[in-house]
Amino acid sequence: MRSNWRKQMMISALALTLSATNVAPVFASAAPDGKTNAADIAQTMGTTAQWNRWEKEWETLKNDWTQISLSPGSNATELNFAWYTPKQTNDDHSNANVPKLIIGEGHNMKNAKVYEAEQTAVKDEQDNNGETYNSNKVTATGLKENKTYYYSYDNGNGYTKPAKYTTKSTNNFSFAFVGDPQIGSSNELKGKDTKEFYDAQSNAVKSDAFNWSSTLNAALEKTDDQLSFVVSAGDQIQTTKKKSPNKDASKSEIEYTGYLSPEALKSLPVATTVGNHDADNANYTYHFNRTNASELGSNKVVGGDYYFKYGNALFIMLNTQDTNVAEHKQFIEQTVAANKDCKWRIVTLHQDIYGSAEHSNEPEITNLRYQLTPIFEQNDIDAVLTGHDHAYSRSKMLLGGTKANDYTDNEFDAELEKDMDAGENPTTKTVAPGNIKNDSTDEKDQKYLTYLKSIMDEKAIETVKKQGSSVINPEGVLYMTAGSSSGSKYYDLVPRQQTYIAHRWQEDVPTYSVVDVTENSLTINTYRTDNDEKIDETFSITKSKGDTTSLNAEIKASESIVKQKDAYTTESYRVFEQALTGAKEVAADKKATKDEVENALKVLTNAKAGLEKKATTKPATVKKSTAEKKVVVAKASAKLKAGKKKVTVKIKKASVSGYQIKYASNKNFKKAKTRNTRKTMYTIKSLRSKKKCYVKVRAYKVVKGKKIYGSYSKVLKVTVK
């Protein structure tokens, strides 16, 4: 059956050069890209009856542009809607004719709210009947957790039959991660203004949309209908404006009709990402109502980056079809700073910067990798979800990957093509042949192999603490690339699995991932659509942070003491102030352990209890206890060693309880960070390359539960590599 899922192979014979010594023809062709025929997968899944019904339904639906899309709101109390209506219904421009959406609780739509749509004219598009359209957008607010709502909207022909939408919990929740639905991609014909092309496009959309629906249904069934939303890594549809017949923007609307057709999407929001097939046509912006949308990262056609929150997770969606990395950096930093309460930070972008299929080794992709990864690391991103390569892969935890050499985006096009060459009679494959061998004497081949080795990023693989299938408190980032969620197109895996890859999979079957998010864990399981079997082991990231509720309450209560500084002795207030500063650092550290939280609370509580009110006679005089008088803490001494985005502090061993390290990027120690350690070797990580790091160290002894500090060492400085 799998052979039926492939495109017909196309072989181009090069001109033959005949001579007495050489009569050999030369052929060159990559293996054909795979695809899944809907009728075949329906037979595998036992859904042939549904396919037969869909074939008939498609003939009446395919010209309907008014399908609605649901997108996540700025948080779980909001839900965004977008849909088209024919302009003719609103010619008089009266408020009465502006489309509305009604949403209320339960079948009876109790406490229903009516929202008037915000309209935008759909430019440069008209359907086969010459009809033009408006895009309508609504944000429903005030939604409650775990409650069923029904909504209805005016599609230009009256209000639709009410559709069901059920909100989920925000404490523990699940979302699906999918890649490249790319509805219409199974069409093998180029975009020519012919009946043959339009018929082929319609048949391709019909097939791809059915498979897309099957994947969504499988994900819902796997989670017992408990998905809160879907994250799509881009390329919702296939036909770009540039490659449409006559460059007509409207020629991809049939593909959006197919994309929005699954019944599941009437009750399941999708957070879409801009892919290269979405990026040159404004109809992407008309069909999806993205929240917190920014002009940062905009390619001036489909808008820029956006974000939303759900429970304790922050989702940052980047439009990396715009390659202005400085703007993406600014957006990420602003978004993270405005949402410090989110424990989990997840970024989605289209390009597979740490993937493992045909696109993954292109310099265009790896150049983007080394621009973005430092930004992700500096902003404590936990996971980066990508698409573009139509094959599944999961990276190891990565930290500090660096670019070895500068290469132009298209530098190795010839070598990449040569490596993928399937020969005279290319057949279906899932792994590329890899024709360039290590012992090649071709100088260009050797340069290409050197490049491949440099982008394996072996040194970026983080050594992590593991417990079963979970990594505990990692500092690095997880990168995942989704396979095709519709089977409209598959790419072969590269012949040499990259060192940074933990697992990869390609069997020319649609796939999806389910991500479960709790207070302390992010767990990923990935399945094939046709039989729901797992294609990778369960993988989790666990953050064993202690409960900071009591610590934050103690910090808040302690703030009032700061205003009464003069009421306490200098020494007791100094101890308290130090304890308060340390407590705030622990409370803000999303990777702080349970022991660190409990210790910070204990130190702060003891410091508060030890505050001595100012006496009436000698208010500023505090006598040290006999035990404290005897304590002498020697001045610490240390050396620094610079590494890649890190600095190692080597402290001269002394007879003390521990050491406190203070470091900053400036000699005045503005916004300095402090770390306590009992070891004489400590590595400061996630520093910025080419920047100076200033460090000073002091030792301490613990006496009756109090830390007695010595004086700081001299200030040391080093330039980070």
Side-chain angles (χ1 to χ4, degrees):
M1 185 184 301
R2 192 176 138 224
S3 62
N4 293 331
W5 296 357
R6 288 285 188 174
K7 293 181 179 178
Q8 296 296 320
M9 62 185 182
M10 299 175 64
I11 307 170
S12 298
L14 300 181
L16 305 183
T17 304
L18 303 177
S19 69
T21 57
N22 184 2
V23 196
V26 180
F27 293 88
S29 179
D33 297 330
K35 66 178 181 180
T36 295
N37 181 285
D40 289 339
I41 201 169
Q43 185 176 348
T44 301
M45 297 178 67
T47 56
T48 300
Q50 289 93 315
W51 164 247
N52 291 337
R53 284 197 300 271
W54 169 244
E55 279 197 294
K56 295 176 182 178
E57 183 182 346
W58 176 243
E59 293 308 310
T60 59
L61 179 67
K62 65 183 181 182
N63 295 318
D64 183 359
W65 292 13
T66 65
Q67 303 300 306
I68 198 165
S69 75
L70 279 60
S71 303
S74 62
N75 56 57
T77 69
E78 297 182 357
L79 182 63
N80 286 4
F81 300 87
W83 73 97
Y84 279 17
T85 51
K87 277 187 182 178
Q88 287 90 320
T89 61
N90 304 302
D91 279 345
D92 62 2
H93 300 287
S94 66
N95 288 337
N97 286 314
V98 174
K100 298 177 179 64
L101 181 141
I102 305 171
I103 184 168
E105 301 172 12
H107 265 295
N108 298 326
M109 301 180 78
K110 182 181 176 182
N111 301 319
K113 293 183 180 179
V114 180
Y115 294 91
E116 189 174 285
E118 180 179 327
Q119 285 198 311
T120 304
V122 176
K123 296 180 180 178
D124 304 323
E125 293 194 18
Q126 60 181 21
D127 64 18
N128 292 335
N129 297 318
E131 195 117 58
T132 56
Y133 289 80
N134 284 323
S135 168
N136 308 282
K137 294 183 179 179
V138 161
T139 296
T141 60
L143 303 181
K144 302 171 186 176
E145 283 191 22
N146 299 312
K147 187 172 285 292
T148 296
Y149 293 85
Y150 280 80
Y151 69 89
S152 176
Y153 66 100
D154 179 2
N155 66 1
N157 294 309
Y159 282 93
T160 60
K161 178 183 176 181
K164 181 180 178 181
Y165 172 72
T166 302
T167 58
K168 307 299 190 297
S169 170
T170 57
N171 291 330
N172 300 322
F173 67 93
S174 301
F175 69 92
F177 166 48
V178 300
D180 299 80
Q182 209 160 324
I183 305 301
S185 182
S186 60
N187 179 10
E188 298 170 17
L189 300 184
K190 301 296 184 183
K192 293 184 178 180
D193 190 13
T194 63
K195 183 179 184 302
E196 183 184 18
F197 169 79
Y198 296 125
D199 287 345
Q201 183 187 38
S202 177
N203 287 329
V205 172
K206 177 174 61 178
S207 177
D208 299 343
F210 181 83
N211 293 341
W212 166 231
S213 179
S214 297
T215 295
L216 294 172
N217 290 338
L220 285 168
E221 185 175 351
K222 179 64 68 176
T223 59
D224 195 23
D225 287 344
Q226 290 305 303
L227 288 179
S228 294
F229 52 88
V230 176
V231 170
S232 166
D235 279 358
Q236 277 60 233
I237 51 94
Q238 161 68 15
T239 305
T240 63
K241 182 178 178 180
K242 181 180 179 181
K243 293 187 178 181
S244 293
N246 303 320
K247 297 185 179 180
D248 184 344
S250 67
K251 297 309 179 185
S252 62
E253 287 296 350
I254 189 174
E255 296 171 359
Y256 275 115
T257 295
Y259 173 89
L260 295 171
S261 66
E263 188 66 24
L265 293 185
K266 304 297 184 288
S267 59
L268 188 59
V270 181
T272 59
T273 312
V274 177
N276 53 296
H277 285 263
D278 309 309
D280 76 341
N281 197 333
N283 58 8
Y284 170 84
T285 65
Y286 302 142
H287 280 293
F288 303 110
N289 187 358
R290 297 165 298 161
T291 189
N292 298 314
S294 172
E295 278 303 304
L296 293 171
S298 173
N299 65 344
K300 311 307 179 187
V301 179
V302 293
D305 306 333
Y306 72 101
Y307 77 90
F308 64 96
K309 291 169 55 175
Y310 194 94
N312 62 349
L314 175 64
F315 293 83
I316 300 174
M317 317 297 287
L318 301 182
N319 175 11
T320 47
Q321 306 315 306
D322 174 64
T323 56
N324 189 333
V325 174
E327 289 192 2
H328 296 308
K329 180 176 187 291
Q330 183 181 349
F331 180 79
I332 292 171
E333 289 175 346
Q334 290 177 353
T335 301
V336 167
N339 296 278
K340 291 182 178 179
D341 58 322
C342 291
K343 185 169 185 175
W344 297 101
R345 298 171 183 173
I346 299 166
V347 166
T348 307
L349 59 109
H350 184 58
Q351 289 93 328
D352 60 313
I353 54 176
Y354 273 113
S356 196
E358 292 181 17
H359 286 309
S360 63
N361 286 337
E362 295 171 357
E364 178 183 8
I365 301 296
T366 58
N367 288 340
L368 181 64
R369 174 201 298 178
Y370 296 118
Q371 290 179 284
L372 289 174
T373 52
I375 302 170
F376 298 152
E377 292 168 8
Q378 290 159 16
N379 288 278
D380 290 330
I381 302 303
D382 297 295
V384 176
L385 309 179
T386 69
H388 195 47
D389 234 354
H390 302 248
Y392 172 79
S393 67
R394 171 174 59 85
S395 78
K396 300 169 185 176
M397 300 304 299
L398 302 176
L399 182 67
T402 55
K403 189 175 183 178
N405 299 96
D406 288 322
Y407 299 103
T408 61
D409 283 353
N410 301 310
E411 186 148 353
F412 297 110
D413 283 356
E415 286 70 36
L416 286 163
E417 184 176 348
K418 177 180 177 180
D419 217 20
M420 309 295 287
D421 187 352
E424 181 179 344
N425 296 301
T427 58
T428 58
K429 293 180 180 293
T430 56
V431 180
N435 298 308
I436 297 178
K437 306 302 180 184
N438 292 337
D439 59 358
S440 172
T441 57
D442 188 316
E443 184 178 342
K444 291 182 179 179
D445 287 353
Q446 285 301 321
K447 184 178 180 181
Y448 169 69
L449 292 172
T450 299
Y451 160 73
L452 290 185
K453 185 177 181 180
S454 74
I455 59 172
M456 291 285 184
D457 273 351
E458 184 175 0
K459 293 181 180 179
I461 298 169
E462 181 186 5
T463 302
V464 293
K465 179 182 177 182
K466 294 194 70 176
Q467 185 174 336
S469 63
S470 184
V471 295
I472 312 299
N473 292 332
E475 293 188 22
V477 183
L478 170 70
Y479 296 85
M480 282 185 63
T481 300
S484 169
S485 54
S486 67
S488 61
K489 180 190 292 183
Y490 305 105
Y491 290 145
D492 299 337
L493 296 168
V494 293
R496 306 162 192 83
Q497 178 172 314
Q498 295 93 338
T499 310
Y500 57 73
I501 290 291
H503 187 74
R504 65 181 193 169
W505 189 91
Q506 178 63 289
E507 291 295 336
D508 288 4
V509 175
T511 60
Y512 66 93
S513 298
V514 174
V515 185
D516 300 314
V517 184
T518 70
E519 172 64 24
N520 296 314
S521 66
L522 186 150
T523 303
I524 303 164
N525 286 287
T526 304
Y527 307 89
R528 49 191 292 165
T529 296
D530 60 346
N531 60 18
D532 271 344
E533 290 182 0
K534 290 173 66 172
I535 66 170
D536 190 4
E537 64 180 356
T538 298
F539 178 80
S540 295
I541 298 173
T542 298
K543 297 181 182 179
S544 58
K545 181 178 174 68
D547 185 355
T548 60
T549 304
S550 298
L551 180 59
N552 283 323
E554 192 70 17
I555 290 171
K556 187 174 181 180
S558 300
E559 295 290 353
S560 60
I561 296 175
V562 177
K563 301 176 183 178
Q564 305 172 36
K565 178 178 179 180
D566 294 338
Y568 306 101
T569 63
T570 303
E571 179 61 22
S572 60
Y573 184 80
R574 182 188 68 79
V575 173
F576 160 76
E577 187 177 41
Q578 193 173 59
L580 180 59
T581 300
K584 288 181 176 179
E585 288 180 357
V586 171
D589 185 356
K590 66 177 184 175
K591 295 180 180 178
T593 64
K594 179 181 178 182
D595 290 343
E596 288 172 332
V597 172
E598 290 178 350
N599 184 62
L601 177 60
K602 181 179 178 181
V603 171
L604 180 56
T605 303
N606 290 341
K608 283 181 66 178
L611 281 171
E612 298 176 22
K613 285 194 175 181
K614 191 174 182 181
T616 55
T617 50
K618 296 181 179 181
T621 303
V622 179
K623 291 185 177 181
K624 290 186 177 181
S625 67
T626 303
E628 288 180 354
K629 283 181 180 179
K630 294 179 181 179
V631 176
V632 177
V633 183
K635 186 175 182 179
S637 176
K639 295 181 180 179
L640 303 183
K641 182 179 179 181
K644 292 183 178 180
K645 297 188 180 180
K646 63 184 180 180
V647 168
T648 300
V649 185
K650 187 175 182 181
I651 307 169
K652 186 176 181 180
K653 188 174 183 180
S655 182
V656 293
S657 303
Y659 309 91
Q660 186 180 75
I661 300 168
K662 179 174 280 192
Y663 65 96
S665 58
N666 57 86
K667 62 182 179 181
N668 297 323
F669 286 85
K670 186 177 180 181
K671 296 184 179 180
K673 295 182 179 179
T674 59
R675 294 289 184 267
N676 287 348
T677 181
R678 294 182 181 180
K679 298 181 180 180
T680 57
M681 188 83 74
Y682 186 88
T683 301
I684 305 170
K685 298 180 179 179
S686 299
L687 299 176
R688 297 180 66 181
S689 298
K690 312 297 183 183
K691 296 291 183 181
K692 285 186 171 56
C693 180
Y694 295 83
V695 180
K696 56 184 179 180
V697 181
R698 61 179 178 175
Y700 65 83
K701 289 184 178 180
V702 179
V703 180
K704 292 186 176 181
K706 292 184 178 181
K707 289 180 180 177
I708 311 300
Y709 288 90
S711 56
Y712 275 112
S713 68
K714 66 178 182 179
V715 176
L716 307 170
K717 73 174 181 177
V718 69
T719 301
V720 182
K721 292 183 180 179

